[in-house]
Amino acid sequence: MHIPDGFIDAPTSAAAGAVAVGGVAICLKKAADQLDEKRVALAGLTAAFIFAVQMLNFPVASGTSGHLLGGVLAAVLVGPYIGALCVTVVLSVQCLLFADGGLSALGLNVVNMALVTAFGGYVIFLLLRKLLPRTVGGVVASSGIASALGVVLASLVFTIEYAIGGTGGASIATVGGAMVGVHVLIGIGEGVITGLTVSAVLASRPDLVHGARDLYERAPGGSPALVGDAA
Amino acid sequence: MKARVGLGLFLAGGLLVALFLAFVLSPEASSKPDGLNKVAIDKGFSGTAKAHTLEDTPTAGYEVRGVHDGRLSRGLAGLIGVTVTLALTGGLFAVVRRSGRARAGAPPSGGT
């Protein structure tokens, strides 16, 4: 979903750039209060992992591919503020080193793929956590579904950007319909990858998963105990 | 449901997985246009895309310039990307964390 230079006009791209800078500044401030040594290391790994998986375009219908965006995955693992920063670093590296995603469109891409997914998708994750059982399975299912919906949300935000400053004169309704249609399919891939990854981390280091920290309550003895898990 | 592996082992394992995916698996990835580019082609606005400002960098397009084997070229680009991303994120967050501690009045970690 990396927007190249030219799809969206300069004023709209600049406005998105301002939103992205503001969003990143807020994230940096919040991250400063939340980071401990463990989280610095985990955030680095999260960003590196997302970069790698973003290279793995998987085929979806009719000559089209899709890849992980990773915002919900990052938010579930390290929280939405640090998570959005992880994806922002990935997008910046892709743009500056690999010419993937336009330089003038970097703000648009940070808004759509880092901020919308890490915050919008994470809100969906939190809602699902309330609806689904308070278990490891509930966390995995919530991550998967929220990440899928996060991709669709990002495709809707692109459509809004195209409506404001799109070039090439395509009708907004057809662009929106086509974007949502294909990103529902890509979202399924996103959901599977996110669910599998969260599940793997929960199986080895459950204490590191930000979105599952309510499953632990520090017992009086001091050792973390799992609550509410039927397993 | 306690931590089953040490943090160091977990991080090393995770990094190995990322490097494996980037180096070994990424050359297998689909090269079909992604969702947005397909929509742009189908709806007739793909022609408005401009060439990337940095299209002449040695790793543009996930290909390492001078490496003529396509699979190796992409795999190496993946390794470079994972390494740079890890270094940048680690560096950024180490600095951000230090600024947070300084603001909170805590002594900087590792200081003598």
Side-chain angles (χ1 to χ4, degrees):
Chain A
M1 206 189 283
H2 294 62
I3 304 172
D5 293 316
F7 276 12
I8 307 290
D9 66 17
T12 312
S13 301
V19 172
V21 167
V24 166
I26 293 169
C27 289
L28 283 170
K29 212 166 164 213
K30 287 279 187 181
D33 301 331
Q34 294 176 347
L35 282 165
D36 52 24
E37 238 164 73
K38 256 195 222 172
R39 281 239 180 97
V40 170
L42 183 61
L45 177 59
T46 300
F49 182 81
I50 289 173
F51 178 91
V53 181
Q54 283 212 1
M55 286 186 80
L56 307 178
N57 283 62
F58 48 84
V60 292
S62 63
T64 313
S65 74
H67 63 70
L68 181 86
L69 300 186
V72 172
L73 173 62
V76 170
L77 291 179
V78 292
Y81 297 100
I82 302 173
L85 292 172
C86 288
V87 181
T88 300
V89 172
V90 170
L91 295 170
S92 306
V93 170
Q94 288 169 332
C95 173
L96 297 174
L97 276 190
F98 300 103
D100 186 15
L103 196 56
S104 74
L106 185 56
L108 291 160
N109 286 323
V110 166
V111 168
N112 298 357
M113 289 187 280
L115 300 179
V116 167
T117 56
F119 290 98
Y122 193 67
V123 168
I124 299 171
F125 169 79
L126 293 178
L127 289 173
L128 288 166
R129 282 294 326 270
K130 286 200 195 309
L131 292 173
L132 295 172
R134 210 161 144 248
T135 61
V136 168
V139 175
V140 171
S142 302
S143 319
I145 298 167
S147 65
L149 294 174
V151 174
V152 177
L153 198 59
S155 76
L156 280 171
V157 174
F158 170 81
T159 307
I160 293 169
E161 291 156 356
Y162 190 81
I164 298 170
T167 58
S171 117
I172 308 309
T174 34
V175 169
M179 279 300 284
V180 170
V182 68
H183 285 94
V184 166
L185 299 176
I186 295 172
I188 294 170
E190 173 101 13
V192 170
I193 296 169
T194 303
L196 285 174
T197 307
V198 169
S199 167
V201 179
L202 280 171
S204 49
R205 286 298 299 237
D207 56 309
L208 296 179
V209 180
H210 176 91
R213 65 206 189 291
D214 62 306
L215 293 185
Y216 298 89
E217 276 175 3
R218 214 150 260 285
S223 68
L226 183 67
V227 288
D229 191 349
Chain B
M1 273 298 292
K2 276 189 269 177
R4 296 219 170 96
V5 296
L7 185 64
L9 190 62
F10 173 82
L11 293 171
L15 185 59
L16 273 180
V17 171
L19 291 170
F20 174 83
L21 295 175
F23 185 66
V24 180
L25 215 54
S26 83
E28 312 292 338
S30 167
S31 53
K32 293 281 190 293
D34 76 356
L36 171 62
N37 285 313
K38 185 67 164 57
V39 170
I41 294 164
D42 289 351
K43 305 303 167 197
F45 65 93
S46 65
T48 65
K50 294 184 191 136
H52 201 283
T53 324
L54 303 171
E55 65 177 351
D56 293 328
T57 56
T59 49
Y62 301 94
E63 280 170 3
V64 177
R65 193 188 296 162
V67 179
H68 299 296
D69 182 292
R71 297 174 47 86
L72 181 64
S73 190
R74 185 172 167 88
L76 288 175
L79 287 188
I80 293 169
V82 167
T83 310
V84 170
T85 302
L86 181 69
L88 277 182
T89 318
L92 169 74
F93 285 136
V95 169
V96 169
R97 177 178 173 235
R98 201 165 305 152
S99 79
R101 288 170 66 91
R103 216 172 44 202
S109 67
T112 48

